[in-house]
């Protein structure tokens, strides 16, 4: 008799980590487990859920679409749900972004953006302009191109031979400033390294990719808006395309619909995923300007963008995304976001007074606490202890090493959000 087929869970070592928690159903911010527990989802199930689990409006839209059309090849065909999504996104994204390319998730949206940027210049006969610049502590996904753009980490270390070279420059990590300054008196000198690189190699560099204003997996590092503005200005000056990886930051997470909106910046390419379908179905979208797309309009077939995925523009995912965007228009979503931001501010101010806390950070609906430890980083020994402590008390929080963050669905109540913070305080007082 064959051995049972076991699920290999992501970011999990079965020899070290506890068994997975079986979830039978979910509602709003709550997960209900097979053994009768109720767990508060304080991280939106890996940052994807916006309007609550099992949201009836999105569920209804997916069901209705399934009875009409579940999927059709998007090469040479189109369908109403995809066309509606283009119309819906038009209301929210920068007017300069005029074309959208579908893919499957955040990593593939990044792959599309990187390939578009490089081929754009190649199609214009500028083959030497193919190099990529990314930030220290950046994370853009786990496929080969996205992994190459991501910084060195435990996620990438085994795959060094599979990563292509990328220029790496300072990020605006104010708590651990790469140039030794204080935010109160600095003038964004951390961007000087990028400026020097572009001045030296601008004729060879095709693109700069950033997570705008917030580096997620790198530790929920919040950047000043002036940093993104400076990057945009430098890219314009040296004729380099700016990719904004808004996979995490998009759809209200930072307080505006997109992080670029906070800085008044329009990128040349923008990557979207995670919250685009409200957490229901996987989808990636890469947006670009007329300038980028025009390089692919040619009598030369080799100037085509030969890239695609079997489920590109899936009708069910498009229906979920359309329903999610209608919720933004028809419900007080940004009032909910404002409440979350206010509670974050109150609780982080209190947590910042604890001697175990090195830094607190916030942008919109995302709050983070960097704990003082001797082994800071993703592999900090405090992480599994914190994770187990939180789960025992009925709260799902997955620390990034010594960084604890709260990133809830927008429908969380004030009391539920305080509950998550109360457990964090208890964990810090108990374990550190």
């Amino acid at each position: 008799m064959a051995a049972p087929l076991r699920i290999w869970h992501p970011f999990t070592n079965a020899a070290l980590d506890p068994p997975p928690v079986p979830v039978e159903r979910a509602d709003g911010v709550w997960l209900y487990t097979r053994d009768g527990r109720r767990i508060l989802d304080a991280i939106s199930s890996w940052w994807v859920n916006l309007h609550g689990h099992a949201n009836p409006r999105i569920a209804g839209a997916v069901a209705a679409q399934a009875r009409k059309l579940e999927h059709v090849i998007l090469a040479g065909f189109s369908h109403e749900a995809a066309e509606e999504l283009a119309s819906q996104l038009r209301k929210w994204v920068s007017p300069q972004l005029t074309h959208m390319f579908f893919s499957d998730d955040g990593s593939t949206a990044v792959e599309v953006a990187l390939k578009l940027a490089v081929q754009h210049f190649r199609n214009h006969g500028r083959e030497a302009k193919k190099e990529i610049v990314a930030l220290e502590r950046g994370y853009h996904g786990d496929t080969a191109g996205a992994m190459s753009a991501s910084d060195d980490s435990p996620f990438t270390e085994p795959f060094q031979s599979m990563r292509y070279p990328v220029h790496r420059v300072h990020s605006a990590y104010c708590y651990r400033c790469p140039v030794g300054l204080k935010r109160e008196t600095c003038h964004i000198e951390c961007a000087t390294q990028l400026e020097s690189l572009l001045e030296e190699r601008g004729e060879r560099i095709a693109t700069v990719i950033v997570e705008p204003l917030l580096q997620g997996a790198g530790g929920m590092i919040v950047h000043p808006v002036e940093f993104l503005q400076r990057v945009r200005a430098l890219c314009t000056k040296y004729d380099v395309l700016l990719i904004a990886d808004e996979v995490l930051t998009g759809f209200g997470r930072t307080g505006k619909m997109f992080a670029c909106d906070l800085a008044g910046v329009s990128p040349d390419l923008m990557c979207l995923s995670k919250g685009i379908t409200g957490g229901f179905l996987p989808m990636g979208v890469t947006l670009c300007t007329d300038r980028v797309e025009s390089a692919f309009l040619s009598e030369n077939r080799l100037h085509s963008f030969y890239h695609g995925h079997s489920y590109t523009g899936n009708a069910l995912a498009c229906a979920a995304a359309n329903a999610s965007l209608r919720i933004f228009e028809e419900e007080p979503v940004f009032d909910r976001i404002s409440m979350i931001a206010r509670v974050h501010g109150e609780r982080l101010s209190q947590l910042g007074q604890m001697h175990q806390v090195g830094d607190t950070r916030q942008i919109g609906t995302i709050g983070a606490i960097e704990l003082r430890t001797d082994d800071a980083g993703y592999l900090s020994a405090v992480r599994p202890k914190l994770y187990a402590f939180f789960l025992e008390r009925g709260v799902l929080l997955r620390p990034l090493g010594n960084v604890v963050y709260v990133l809830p669905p927008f429908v969380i109540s004030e009391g539920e959000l305080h509950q998550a913070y109360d457990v964090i305080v208890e964990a810090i007082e108990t374990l550190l």
Side-chain angles (χ1 to χ4, degrees):
M1 183 176 178
L5 188 60
R6 296 183 175 89
I7 299 171
W8 194 332
H9 294 265
F11 291 85
T12 300
N13 185 327
L16 298 173
D17 296 320
V21 178
V23 175
E24 289 198 332
R25 64 182 183 91
D27 180 48
V29 299
W30 294 100
L31 308 175
Y32 296 87
T33 68
R34 192 178 299 162
D35 59 4
R37 286 184 290 161
R38 189 174 76 147
I39 298 173
L40 175 61
D41 184 357
I43 60 165
S44 300
S45 285
W46 246 345
W47 321 345
V48 301
N49 193 286
L50 300 185
H51 309 297
H53 291 282
N55 182 282
R57 294 188 63 175
I58 303 177
V62 172
Q65 182 65 48
R67 289 189 290 268
K68 180 179 178 181
L69 172 69
E70 81 298 342
H71 183 65
V72 66
I73 181 174
L74 211 65
F77 287 81
S78 186
H79 58 81
E80 183 181 6
E83 292 160 2
E84 181 184 347
L85 181 52
S87 178
Q88 290 264 30
L89 281 174
R90 176 70 286 161
K91 302 173 187 176
W92 296 100
V93 302
S94 165
Q96 282 71 47
L97 295 169
T98 53
H99 293 78
M100 59 186 287
F101 192 98
F102 285 102
S103 58
D104 293 350
D105 54 25
S107 290
T108 55
V110 168
E111 298 279 351
V112 168
L114 294 170
K115 291 173 74 172
L116 284 174
V118 171
Q119 190 178 346
H120 166 87
F121 289 108
R122 182 180 180 85
N123 285 357
H124 279 302
R126 303 170 70 182
E127 289 88 351
K129 202 169 171 66
K130 61 185 179 181
E131 298 176 5
I132 293 166
V133 182
L135 300 185
E136 294 171 347
R137 300 180 182 272
Y139 174 80
H140 299 284
D142 296 325
T143 51
M147 182 175 63
S148 298
S150 303
D151 202 357
D152 298 342
S153 72
F155 308 153
T156 64
E157 194 277 330
F159 313 110
Q160 285 301 111
S161 64
M162 299 172 62
R163 300 169 74 201
Y164 53 71
V166 169
H167 297 288
R168 193 80 51 193
V169 296
H170 295 323
S171 78
Y173 189 3
C174 297
Y175 177 57
R176 302 179 187 274
C177 177
V179 292
L181 300 176
K182 297 292 184 183
R183 177 67 192 105
E184 296 77 15
T185 55
C186 84
H187 299 285
I188 315 298
E189 285 86 350
C190 51
T192 302
Q193 188 182 37
L194 172 62
E195 183 171 19
S196 298
L197 177 64
L198 293 179
E199 184 176 6
E200 176 188 350
R201 300 189 64 84
E203 287 304 311
R204 293 183 174 273
I205 292 171
T207 186
V208 175
I209 182 169
V210 301
E211 297 160 89
L213 301 187
L214 176 74
Q215 292 182 292
M220 295 297 167
I221 300 164
V222 178
H223 294 170
V225 295
E226 294 88 350
F227 179 76
L228 181 59
Q229 292 166 346
R230 183 87 175 275
V231 173
R232 171 68 277 182
L234 289 170
C235 287
T236 301
K237 179 178 179 180
Y238 292 99
D239 191 25
V240 169
L241 299 176
L242 174 61
I243 299 173
D245 177 355
E246 293 244 21
V247 168
L248 163 59
T249 54
F251 303 101
R253 288 297 184 192
T254 63
K256 294 284 189 179
M257 197 60 161
F258 300 105
C260 287
D261 298 342
L262 280 172
V265 161
S266 181
D268 301 290
L269 300 110
M270 179 185 282
C271 306
L272 304 177
S273 188
K274 289 198 182 292
I276 192 169
T277 67
F280 268 67
L281 288 161
M283 171 178 278
V285 166
T286 305
L287 299 146
C288 72
T289 61
D290 275 340
R291 178 202 171 181
V292 173
E293 191 266 350
S294 65
F296 298 82
L297 299 176
S298 169
E299 296 294 322
N300 185 344
R301 278 283 183 188
L302 291 178
H303 287 183
S304 303
F305 186 52
Y306 287 119
H307 182 107
H309 302 264
S310 299
Y311 281 92
T312 287
N314 175 257
L316 300 178
C318 288
N322 288 326
S324 177
L325 289 171
R326 284 193 292 271
I327 289 172
F328 273 99
E329 287 191 306
E330 298 168 9
E331 297 185 19
V333 176
F334 283 95
D335 290 343
R336 298 165 184 163
I337 287 170
S338 295
M339 181 278 289
I340 294 169
R342 174 178 56 79
V343 174
H344 278 329
E346 294 169 0
R347 298 306 299 262
L348 291 173
S349 177
Q350 298 163 2
L351 279 158
Q353 306 305 310
M354 301 180 74
H355 68 88
Q356 303 97 324
V357 174
D359 188 39
T360 60
R361 304 187 274 273
Q362 182 199 350
I363 183 167
T365 66
I366 302 157
I369 306 106
E370 183 161 345
L371 301 172
R372 298 183 191 275
T373 60
D374 295 330
D375 60 346
Y378 188 80
L379 298 181
S380 173
V382 74
R383 184 210 170 275
K385 298 175 184 177
L386 288 166
Y387 178 66
F389 188 96
F390 296 142
L391 271 187
E392 286 172 4
R393 281 151 182 79
V395 179
L396 172 56
L397 292 163
R398 283 181 61 91
L400 296 162
N402 62 310
V403 176
V404 179
Y405 68 91
V406 184
L407 197 163
F410 299 153
V411 294
I412 195 168
S413 71
E414 189 167 342
E416 290 164 340
L417 187 51
H418 279 296
Q419 180 180 338
Y421 272 106
D422 290 344
V423 171
I424 292 172
V425 171
E426 184 185 359
I428 294 172
E429 291 176 340
T430 303
L431 300 177
L432 298 175

